[in-house]
Amino acid sequence: MSKNDAKGSFNNASFLIIGISDNPEQELTAAAQEAIARGKVFSGGKRHYELMKSRLPQGAQWIEITVPLADVFKQYKGIPQIVVFASGDPLFYGFAATVQREFPDAKIEVYPTFNSLQMLAHRMLLPYQDMHAVSLTGRPWKDFQDALISREKLIGVLTDRTRTPRAIASMMQEYGYDNYSITIGECMGNPHNEKVTTMTVAQAMFYEADFPNCMILQMTEQRGRLFGIPEERFELLDGRVNMITKMPIRLATLAALELGRHKSFWDIGFCTGSVSIEARLQFPHLVITAFEKRPQGKELLDSNSRRFGAPGINGVICDFMDADTNIYPAPDAVFIGGHGGQMQEMLQTINSVLLPGGVIVFNSVSDESAAAFRQGIESIGRHITGTTRMAVDEHNPILIMKAE
């Protein structure tokens, strides 16, 4: 079913979305009880059904929410009113937001209760107004990794059966983020099985938590973050210091890329990963895709990412000119760290995927490569909008060239 079909089918539909906890004897508001009493069609997950089946009116129809959701939405078609049970606050990473997105014309009423992170904070007697909440429930790591890189002092985490407390703690330990205490809340709201435990990151790596669970991370000490990583601190390609973008050049390159206003960054020819890692640490919001044709590049990128606490960079080992560029998030900022004598062809490929308002930056080490970049940029209808000439110590001058 297309989204347009969904919209058309739900112009007059009504969703009553009731937030519940894991408490089998939970109290519901009078309004929520009334919605259930007059309801005919109900929906929710398997766990929600087990909690609420004794309260459903006789003859009630139940539609289980499973993936793919498109199949669930097909079953909703033609039903004028559906009572949906969801966990906690349906507007906090919950099903109400999904309904709003898929059926913007439907009427929605929400009856919330405390979400699991709120309940965990209450058990901890923890003021949580400054808590940075992220969900790993069926979601990628990025938002959580962004929070770590951003040095959030208080992080609430919604988990699932894959992104478990053990898996989360292992990732944190791998990238050096052991400067947090972890409090795990298990079966929050269930008076029989609820459990709250505080431990270190190292302890959490071996803790088997009952599901469902959630976590609150509290920073125990600040982790330092360099603004400009000295090149000698990176693991280098065969120990060759000349194969890494020098720190002042790297920072000037990031400035030319204007990464603060962009969302997707491609680093072509990443070698040691220094530009991508610096970008990840200074601009955590970025989605970074880094290309390198040398097989050693993957190990270098992984090693240096762990060393500096920069998880989440997508390293692609292949010749960029052979890559299927359509399978990666389209860039609005591109750095060319190496072109292999194929500048013209490379720029044409970049131009075919670069988003409107995108920028391309190239660091030239010779007059010949600068001329090739200028000619290539002109051939794709773009313009050089800035150049900066820099020299570090006794190294040859670098021309940082920016095209838009």
Side-chain angles (χ1 to χ4, degrees):
M1 178 174 65
S2 72
K3 192 167 182 179
N4 288 335
D5 291 339
K7 290 179 182 178
S9 302
F10 282 82
N11 283 338
N12 300 312
S14 173
F15 288 88
L16 307 179
I17 307 178
I18 301 173
I20 61 174
S21 72
D22 272 356
N23 186 353
E25 293 86 33
Q26 63 192 293
E27 295 183 5
L28 297 174
T29 65
Q33 293 182 54
E34 182 182 349
I36 294 172
R38 53 187 170 87
K40 295 181 179 179
V41 180
F42 298 83
S43 190
K46 184 177 182 180
R47 183 166 54 90
H48 301 137
Y49 178 73
E50 293 301 321
L51 287 165
M52 301 305 299
K53 62 182 178 181
S54 63
R55 306 192 187 203
L56 301 182
Q58 188 172 3
Q61 177 186 349
W62 182 269
I63 300 174
E64 184 172 341
I65 297 176
T66 58
V67 292
L69 289 177
D71 293 341
V72 178
F73 300 151
K74 287 180 182 178
Q75 297 180 66
Y76 287 175
K77 187 175 181 180
I79 300 174
Q81 186 179 82
I82 302 173
V83 179
V84 181
F85 295 105
S87 297
D89 182 350
L91 286 169
F92 182 76
Y93 294 108
F95 195 69
T98 302
V99 173
Q100 287 179 321
R101 182 182 66 248
E102 295 295 328
F103 316 119
D105 297 322
K107 180 182 177 182
I108 301 172
E109 294 181 35
V110 174
Y111 306 89
T113 190
F114 289 120
N115 64 59
S116 60
L117 286 175
Q118 288 175 312
M119 286 190 282
L120 179 54
H122 295 163
R123 306 297 187 268
M124 297 167 65
L125 293 179
L126 175 70
Y128 62 92
Q129 65 270 10
D130 295 326
M131 183 167 67
H132 183 95
V134 298
S135 175
L136 290 174
T137 305
R139 298 167 186 255
W141 284 108
K142 188 177 187 313
D143 287 348
F144 177 64
Q145 293 170 340
D146 292 355
L148 292 177
I149 294 171
S150 298
R151 274 52 177 179
E152 297 289 349
K153 293 182 179 180
L154 187 65
I155 306 174
V157 187
L158 299 177
T159 65
D160 65 13
R161 294 186 183 276
T162 301
R163 307 282 200 258
T164 63
R166 290 180 63 176
I168 293 166
S170 295
M171 190 279 294
M172 293 174 67
Q173 185 79 13
E174 180 181 5
Y175 288 92
Y177 290 100
D178 56 356
N179 57 325
Y180 286 87
S181 68
I182 293 179
T183 301
I184 302 174
E186 304 167 61
C187 305
M188 298 307 300
N190 188 317
H192 309 295
N193 300 323
E194 181 179 290
K195 185 178 180 182
V196 175
T197 312
T198 299
M199 63 195 76
T200 65
V201 172
Q203 291 169 334
M205 291 171 59
F206 302 96
Y207 185 80
E208 194 67 51
D210 288 339
F211 191 83
N213 54 69
C214 62
M215 306 165 61
I216 291 180
L217 280 56
Q218 294 175 279
M219 184 180 288
T220 55
E221 60 179 322
Q222 278 285 355
R223 171 188 167 126
R225 180 171 64 183
L226 293 170
F227 180 72
I229 306 170
E231 49 268 20
E232 62 269 15
R233 295 188 59 176
F234 284 90
E235 183 177 343
L236 303 172
L237 179 65
D238 301 326
R240 297 154 63 187
V241 72
N242 288 337
M243 295 298 290
I244 186 172
T245 303
K246 303 300 181 291
M247 185 260 285
I249 304 294
R250 193 185 318 132
L251 295 181
T253 298
L254 297 183
L257 286 160
E258 299 182 74
L259 295 178
R261 69 177 180 90
H262 293 124
K263 296 180 180 180
S264 177
F265 171 50
W266 283 10
D267 179 6
I268 302 174
F270 66 75
C271 192
T272 61
S274 64
V275 172
S276 286
I277 289 169
E278 196 83 66
R280 183 78 174 107
L281 294 177
Q282 303 305 330
F283 305 96
H285 70 281
L286 284 174
V287 175
I288 302 178
T289 308
F291 299 87
E292 174 59 54
K293 66 180 181 181
R294 285 169 287 218
Q296 310 99 297
K298 178 62 173 172
E299 184 177 342
L300 282 173
L301 179 62
D302 290 346
S303 175
N304 285 321
S305 294
R306 289 192 294 269
R307 180 175 297 188
F308 300 110
I313 299 170
N314 181 22
V316 181
I317 301 300
C318 70
D319 188 322
F320 178 77
M321 297 309 301
D322 296 329
D324 180 1
T325 54
N326 293 314
I327 67 174
Y328 305 107
D332 49 11
V334 177
F335 172 61
I336 301 176
H339 58 89
Q342 295 179 286
M343 180 67 78
Q344 179 74 43
E345 297 85 350
M346 182 175 288
L347 287 170
Q348 289 175 348
T349 299
I350 293 169
N351 192 57
S352 69
V353 294
L354 191 65
L355 294 173
V359 60
I360 305 169
V361 170
F362 171 62
N363 291 351
S364 173
V365 297
S366 68
D367 292 340
E368 291 77 14
S369 61
F373 184 69
R374 285 193 179 93
Q375 292 168 9
I377 287 298
E378 184 177 347
S379 72
I380 60 173
R382 298 181 184 269
H383 307 281
I384 304 293
T385 57
T387 58
T388 303
R389 188 177 180 85
M390 294 183 66
V392 178
D393 300 328
E394 300 302 318
H395 298 285
N396 292 332
I398 301 291
L399 188 63
I400 302 172
M401 308 177 70
K402 174 181 178 180
E404 297 177 268

